[in-house]
């Protein structure tokens, strides 16, 4: 893995992905040999929002949609296994540690509550786009995997709390037969699911160990129900964990690349080990 992270401020069509000030700050900080501290970068980011109107203690959301969208665009350019993704997570966490400004956005504290971040993330969850151009689809798939690796890292670090998202991604990849074997779509979805095990799995298994038979509201039962291949109860439960473990191994044999095969088998092995060490009856 190269230490240098090659980032672009604009996409191949020339459209701006990241505002210049944010890009310049992050492009320096995310290099692994950067001497700039996370605290320094958080302080620099905190100075970028506009000042509230005279006498006001609230800000509009426009700047923050641009900020988070730009940061997500940066994450989509960083390979999912690269340490620069960890640096980006540290930055978001550092922002939550800044002193309370007394300013709110959508009734959320700046910066403690990371206002608008959840809404910005939701805009990226509708599934990867589809292109008939192979090279373009590859870029789309890479960005999708990298975005979810970033999400999983943020959740694993306790920065964001999207409890349903990991189950949705695991369900999409492992509880449906929607992708044909040896397809790039199968590889993409399998790698995406595996990143949630890699970066958020320890939290999932501790949650499962603490509450193996959760009581769910009707809404949660609907949201967390199984896919067409899984017939157990909704939510995170031991039988579903075992099903996912088995399916990672089964789907690994259908992949188009060694990369997808290896990460799927690694996810299965992690889940097996955690089952033996964290879920084994006492």
């Amino acid at each position: 893995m190269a230490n240098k992270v090659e980032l672009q401020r604009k996409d191949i069509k020339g459209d701006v992905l990241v505002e210049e000030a944010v890009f310049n700050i992050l492009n320096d900080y995310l290099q692994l040999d950067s001497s700039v501290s996370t605290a320094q970068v958080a302080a620099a980011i905190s100075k970028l929002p506009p000042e509230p109107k005279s006498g006001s203690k609230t800000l509009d959301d426009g700047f923050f949609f641009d900020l988070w969208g730009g940061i997500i665009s940066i994450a989509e350019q960083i390979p999912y296994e690269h340490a620069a993704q960890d640096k980006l997570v540290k930055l978001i966490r550092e922002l939550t540690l800044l002193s309370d400004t007394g300013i709110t956005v959508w009734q959320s504290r700046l910066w403690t509550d990371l206002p608008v971040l959840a809404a910005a993330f939701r805009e990226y969850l509708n599934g990867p786009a589809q292109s008939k151009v192979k090279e373009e689809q590859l870029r789309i798939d890479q960005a999708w995997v990298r975005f979810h690796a970033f999400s999983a890292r943020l959740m694993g670090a306790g920065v964001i709390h999207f409890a349903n998202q990991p189950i949705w991604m695991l369900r999409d990849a492992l509880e449906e037969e929607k992708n044909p074997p040896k397809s790039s779509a199968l590889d993409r979805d399998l790698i995406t699911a595996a990143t949630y095990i890699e970066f958020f799995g320890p939290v999932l298994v501790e949650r499962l160990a603490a509450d193996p038979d959760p009581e769910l509201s009707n809404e949660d039962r609907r949201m967390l129900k199984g896919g067409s291949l899984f017939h157990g109860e909704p939510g995170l439960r031991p039988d579903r964990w075992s099903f996912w473990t088995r399916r990672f191994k089964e789907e690994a044999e259908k992949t188009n690349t060694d990369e997808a095969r290896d990460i799927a088998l690694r996810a299965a092995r992690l889940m097996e080990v955690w089952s033996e060490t964290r879920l084994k009856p006492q």
Side-chain angles (χ1 to χ4, degrees):
M1 183 197 319
N3 286 336
K4 178 69 174 177
V5 181
E6 299 288 348
L7 302 176
Q8 303 296 323
R9 195 170 77 86
K10 299 180 180 180
D11 64 19
I12 59 174
K13 298 177 182 178
D15 295 329
V16 173
L17 298 170
V18 192
E19 294 301 321
E20 185 173 11
V22 175
F23 180 83
N24 290 338
I25 292 169
L26 295 182
N27 193 37
D28 180 19
Y29 165 69
L30 291 174
Q31 304 309 320
L32 300 190
D33 60 357
S34 174
S35 61
V36 182
S37 73
T38 306
Q40 288 173 317
V41 176
I45 293 288
S46 73
K47 295 175 182 177
L48 296 178
E51 291 292 327
K53 295 178 181 178
S54 180
S56 175
K57 279 292 187 179
T58 63
L59 284 173
D60 294 333
D61 58 25
F63 168 84
F64 297 94
F65 270 113
D66 289 343
L67 172 64
W68 303 132
I71 287 176
I72 290 170
S73 294
I74 290 291
E76 289 179 331
Q77 297 180 50
I78 304 172
Y80 66 86
E81 73 277 25
H82 200 288
Q85 281 226 359
D86 294 310
K87 293 192 74 172
L88 197 55
V89 169
K90 288 179 181 179
L91 170 60
I92 305 301
R93 184 176 63 185
E94 196 71 24
L95 287 171
T96 69
L97 304 181
L98 294 171
S99 299
D100 188 2
T101 63
I103 296 172
T104 60
V105 185
W106 287 4
Q107 299 181 323
S108 296
R109 295 170 294 175
L110 181 67
W111 290 88
T112 308
D113 298 327
L114 300 174
V116 189
L117 179 62
F121 264 73
R122 282 195 293 271
E123 293 188 355
Y124 287 77
L125 290 176
N126 292 327
Q130 301 297 316
S131 174
K132 295 180 179 179
V133 180
K134 183 178 180 180
E135 292 76 13
E136 183 177 18
Q137 188 65 54
L138 176 61
R139 289 193 294 269
I140 291 169
D141 290 349
Q142 284 181 333
W144 178 255
V145 169
R146 292 167 178 182
F147 164 74
H148 281 286
F150 181 51
S151 296
R153 279 181 164 94
L154 284 169
M155 284 186 270
V159 178
I160 59 175
H161 310 283
F162 303 155
N164 294 347
Q165 188 170 310
I167 295 178
W168 292 341
M169 294 302 109
L170 287 155
R171 179 177 64 192
D172 284 352
L174 304 173
E175 298 181 4
E176 303 287 355
E177 287 282 15
K178 59 187 176 62
N179 293 325
K182 306 300 179 183
S183 70
S184 60
L186 184 145
D187 286 18
R188 175 199 64 217
D189 291 352
L190 201 56
I191 294 172
T192 298
T195 63
Y196 281 95
I197 298 302
E198 183 72 38
F199 303 119
F200 191 61
V203 178
L204 278 177
V205 76
E206 292 301 328
R207 184 179 298 167
L208 181 58
D211 190 7
D213 188 22
E215 292 188 15
L216 301 178
S217 67
N218 289 336
E219 177 65 10
D220 283 341
R221 290 183 64 85
R222 183 184 68 81
M223 296 285 284
L224 300 177
K225 66 181 180 180
S228 62
L229 300 179
F230 178 72
H231 306 297
E233 286 291 300
L236 181 62
R237 301 174 190 272
D239 62 333
R240 200 171 196 179
W241 183 268
S242 298
F243 180 85
W244 289 337
T245 304
R246 175 169 59 83
R247 286 287 292 160
F248 266 123
K249 290 187 285 188
E250 292 174 351
E251 294 296 275
E253 301 309 317
K254 304 176 186 177
T255 56
N256 186 50
T257 62
D258 289 342
E259 175 191 17
R261 179 181 182 275
D262 291 347
I263 192 173
L265 291 176
R266 175 180 169 82
R269 182 58 185 152
L270 281 169
M271 295 175 78
E272 286 175 339
V273 170
W274 291 331
S275 293
E276 294 168 3
T277 58
R278 301 301 305 135
L279 303 180
K280 189 174 181 180
Q282 300 298 312

